[in-house]
Amino acid sequence: MTLAFALCLLTLFGLAGIGMPVAYSILTASFVYLATNGQGVGIAGKVLMDGLYNSFILLAVPLFIVAANIMNAGTISERLLRFCVAAVGRFRGGLGHVNVVASLIFSGMSGSAVADAAGIGKIIIGMMTRSGQYSRGYAAAITAASATIGPVIPPSIPMVLYALISNSSIGFLFLGGIVPGLFMGAVLMAMNSLISARRGFAMETPVPLRDLPGHTVNAFPALLMPAILLYGIYGGVTTPTEAAAVAAAYALLLAGLFYRALSIGALYRILVESARSSAAVGLVIGGALILNYVVASENIPNLVAEALVGLDVSPIVFLLGVNILFLVLGCILDATTIILVIIPLFLPTCRELGIDLIHFGVVAVINCMIGLITPPYGILLFVINAVTQIPLREIIGEIWAFLGVLILALLVLVLVPDIVLWLPRMFGYPG
């Protein structure tokens, strides 16, 4: 390890350890490396501009953020929730099932776990606690766990970032996330049913079946969002970036004209908040591009690949080991940092071992999403704590069962790649 790289790592972990935001820590550490090597700041600017210029797909990130924030506004979330209550609220633990199904539906509109938890999640937590059956901690925990599905089912901001660093097809990544996302929803609903039976949660008053068509019609325009996105991408009508623009425009038309739930003032606040969120993601992306230049200059990815291949590691053992590492890192790092900084180190090894990059990407994104609910740095736990004022200790006390089944689902997806690759292959993926 060179002195410059050692100082870079020391600066990165030192600043992150004292609480500086990760984006600023990465940028400062990268500048320390450049300065120690006698390279000017202009190198960082060139790397940054080249990375952005060659990454048109990054435009999808702010567009999906805008679409998610608009879909969270007004009455759209409530209409979707009424549809979910009518569909699955009649079973034991009904509002828990509603929580998961709502996340499955909303994940096809937002691509963001935080948007899911802070928007529709806040509403369903209120419904669950008002019913008198569910503790605050349980309602918050299942909300956090189900929000992890958001970036797995397309659209997905983390998958856009993975496509950026791996040169993988964003379309096939989106397709690869659909079945695993539904699988995650199924295991969460199974755990909710088990806990509901053990704790004796009472049955909800069922919505009459004759009212279900009305609720479906009411929510149908919002339910069309995922279909429009998928048809646009896989029908060859739009690129993924253009599909993100269509999603934002459709959300605006739906909320503003069809449902009449969006005022000019509310739209202004949504755009400001979306700009702030996009800027926060952009800072991490910019820092990661420069840090990746540093890592490439030190030839770290090739050294890692040679070391692992030299150990004669089988693909399954490699995948299990890397996923354990990602789970550990998820306790202390946010998902964006893991995807942009850590995952690129292992991509050359994946190619050497013949591991499919679509399978690896989907599994890695799911792993990073599980990290969002892993104490002590489970960002979704803090988001729900902030929007509901439910104490963290109550949320963490209830999260372990859902965390366990999600890790079990991750293990199944690692060991059975066909679950991820079946749908992409149906649409012509050669892997």
Side-chain angles (χ1 to χ4, degrees):
M1 183 184 299
T2 64
L3 174 63
F5 192 60
L7 289 175
C8 175
L9 292 180
L10 184 63
T11 303
L12 174 60
F13 291 114
L15 293 178
I18 63 174
M20 179 180 282
V22 171
Y24 299 141
S25 302
I26 293 174
L27 286 168
T28 305
S30 300
F31 290 147
V32 166
Y33 176 88
L34 295 175
T36 307
N37 262 355
Q39 297 175 282
V41 177
I43 294 290
K46 182 180 183 304
V47 169
L48 184 58
M49 294 309 297
D50 286 347
L52 295 177
Y53 181 77
N54 294 322
S55 305
F56 184 69
I57 189 70
L58 281 179
L59 279 176
V61 174
L63 292 169
F64 280 138
I65 290 174
V66 170
N69 288 338
I70 292 175
M71 295 299 285
N72 262 324
T75 63
I76 297 176
S77 298
E78 285 117 1
R79 292 170 191 269
L80 290 172
L81 276 176
R82 284 196 290 270
F83 166 74
C84 295
V85 170
V88 298
R90 64 190 69 251
F91 306 110
R92 186 176 298 278
L95 288 180
H97 295 317
V98 168
N99 199 321
V100 177
V101 172
S103 290
L104 284 169
I105 293 173
F106 203 76
S107 65
M109 303 170 194
S110 69
S112 167
V114 172
D116 193 347
I120 205 167
K122 181 181 179 180
I123 301 172
I124 189 64
I125 288 173
M127 292 172 60
M128 292 180 73
T129 53
R130 282 195 302 271
S131 74
Q133 298 183 48
Y134 308 91
S135 67
R136 296 184 303 173
Y138 184 82
I142 193 171
T143 299
S146 64
T148 61
I149 303 171
V152 179
I153 294 179
S156 168
I157 293 173
M159 286 186 186
V160 172
L161 300 180
Y162 176 81
L164 168 69
I165 54 104
S166 67
N167 291 319
S168 299
S169 164
I170 186 64
F172 287 132
L173 280 168
F174 278 5
L175 278 174
I178 294 175
V179 175
L182 296 174
F183 182 48
M184 292 168 68
V187 299
L188 288 175
M189 292 178 74
M191 178 53 67
N192 177 63
S193 295
L194 180 62
I195 293 175
S196 299
R198 286 184 175 179
R199 298 186 184 181
F201 292 156
M203 303 282 282
E204 306 289 340
T205 303
V207 175
L209 287 176
R210 65 177 179 274
D211 293 340
L212 183 57
H215 289 295
T216 303
V217 170
N218 208 12
F220 185 73
L223 295 172
L224 272 180
M225 171 81 89
I228 291 172
L229 279 171
L230 294 176
Y231 175 75
I233 295 172
Y234 307 119
V237 180
T238 64
T239 66
T241 304
E242 291 165 348
V246 169
Y250 181 75
L252 182 59
L253 290 173
L254 195 62
L257 298 180
F258 189 84
Y259 288 139
R260 298 187 181 277
L262 193 63
S263 65
I264 297 297
L267 177 61
Y268 172 77
R269 290 190 293 273
I270 285 171
L271 293 177
V272 170
E273 181 58 35
S274 299
R276 288 174 178 162
S277 300
S278 300
V281 175
L283 276 173
V284 179
I285 293 172
L289 288 172
I290 301 170
L291 185 60
N292 286 341
Y293 165 79
V294 171
V295 171
S297 299
E298 294 288 315
N299 202 30
I300 302 298
N302 289 334
L303 293 174
V304 171
E306 290 172 7
L308 290 174
V309 173
L311 292 175
D312 195 25
V313 177
S314 71
I316 289 295
V317 172
F318 171 77
L319 280 174
L320 291 173
V322 167
N323 275 277
I324 291 171
L325 174 63
F326 289 167
L327 285 172
V328 173
L329 290 175
C331 297
I332 55 175
L333 295 176
D334 64 278
T336 303
T337 303
I338 294 175
I339 292 171
L340 292 175
V341 177
I342 307 299
I343 288 178
L345 299 176
F346 297 99
L347 294 178
T349 309
C350 288
R351 295 186 180 99
E352 289 286 341
L353 295 176
I355 295 171
D356 188 273
L357 291 187
I358 298 296
H359 175 232
F360 182 75
V362 172
V363 167
V365 167
I366 293 172
N367 196 315
C368 292
M369 294 308 102
I370 293 174
L372 297 178
I373 61 170
T374 307
Y377 187 70
I379 188 64
L380 286 180
L381 307 181
F382 291 103
V383 168
I384 291 176
N385 165 256
V387 299
T388 64
Q389 306 306 312
I390 297 174
L392 275 174
R393 64 178 180 276
E394 295 183 22
I395 304 175
I396 293 173
E398 295 279 10
I399 199 67
W400 300 108
F402 300 111
L403 184 60
V405 294
L406 286 176
I407 292 175
L408 182 62
L410 175 67
L411 177 62
V412 172
L413 294 172
V414 169
L415 297 177
V416 188
D418 287 343
I419 298 176
V420 175
L421 298 176
W422 172 73
L423 200 52
R425 286 169 178 162
M426 291 283 289
F427 282 79
Y429 177 62

